[in-house]
Amino acid sequence: MEKVVLAFSGGLDTTVCVKLLEEEYDYEVITACVDVGQPREELEKSQNSADTINTSKHYIIDARDEFANEYISRGIKANAEYEGYPLSTALARPLIAQKIIEIAEKEGATAIAHGCTGKGNDQFRFEAIIRSMSDFKVIAPIRELNLTRTEEMDYAKDHGLPLPSDKLYSIDENMWGRSIEGDVLEDPKNIPPEDIYEWTKSLQDAKDEPELVSVEFEEGVPIAINGEMMKLTDLIWKANEIGGENGIGRVDTIENRMIGLKSRENYEVPGAKLLIAAHQALEELVLTKDELRFAEYMSTLYADLVYNALWQEPLREDLDQAIDSMQSRVSGKVVMRLYKGSIMPVSRESDFSLHSIEQITFEDKETDQREVEGMIKYHGLQAANYQKLNR
Ligand code: ARG
């Protein structure tokens, strides 16, 4: 029997896929769950349901540090957000696909399967990597059989599959954020029920006192939080915790999906919002005006590529090089003030600061104010000529 490796989370889609791949496609199914920092209970759940469904083999691959160091760090350096969403799911997909390819090679499988539906972006992201980095056949049972969520539920019940949870939401989580879709959230008119949130406090429950958080960066990457040095994976979780306590990072947006659909999306991204805001605050101190304008442009390009399943596009690699070159001076410390969902830089310092207190102070005698007169006289020369004509 030919083997297929299925990217498996233990959620409804991938649970149903196991049985479909066995019964409708005639494969021996190997499941693999790539750990990109989803909550530990999620991993246990995936292990338990793999045991219950009795897949031929189940892998759990720890890719947490690789996700933080090779993917999220690039997201931070680029300030990458797509329509206000820090790309938590989008950044993880290329890595998950890569890990699944490695297992498929090791297992001598002939195909790779995923549980994406035919409406979302993740099918593009998985398949773009699988097709460009391997020759495996790709199977997408939910899309190929055009199943609805209710049909999947019925199929799971009929086949005695463990129903993942009573919740109707489709949730995707990793250390960079949590995405909640489906059910009542589908109608943009409906106010999200409080129970969709797990990482962030509501504004009324958030801390009543403002909290100061310091973040230190080295070449654009955070290395310490509140004076404590730690590896990026741990630092991200710390940032999630602190941000979440202060009601930071809830996003409720109408997102423009790849196939053109508008989709109401809810995210919890406390750490991402905190770290990107701190990173931007430091950039303002150390980069020139022209660099900042260009960084903003690169940021948009970068986020669009990541969102649009083009991680393997050479332009992404080119941008990474340009960004890294600029980030060589983005080292220093920022203090952010968090208070009930708001986030504000209140202190910044760096050895690479382009700000000069000697030059800007009103007490300065060194910069001769009179010398600026000539500059003013000729500023806007063409506009002045145009207005003269009008007169
Ligand atoms: N809209 C987000 C993206 O395309 C999240 C998709 C996955 N979310 C989910 N709940 N299944 O990156």
Side-chain angles (χ1 to χ4, degrees), residues 13 85 87-91 93 120-122 125 169-172 179-181 255 257 263 265 267 307:
D13 294 320
Y85 150 55
L87 300 162
S88 42
T89 298
L91 276 168
R93 294 315 191 202
N121 302 317
D122 288 331
R125 297 174 185 146
Y169 305 119
S170 164
I171 293 168
D172 183 64
S179 140
I180 316 105
E181 297 175 338
E255 190 168 293
R257 281 198 194 163
S263 156
E265 299 280 333
Y267 299 103
Y307 187 86

Side-chain angles (χ1 to χ4, degrees), residues 81-107:
E81 295 195 38
Y82 177 86
E83 301 176 346
Y85 150 55
L87 300 162
S88 42
T89 298
L91 276 168
R93 294 315 191 202
L95 175 59
I96 295 173
Q98 193 56 53
K99 294 290 165 198
I100 300 289
I101 292 172
E102 286 166 23
I103 296 171
E105 282 166 351
K106 189 173 139 205
E107 286 287 343

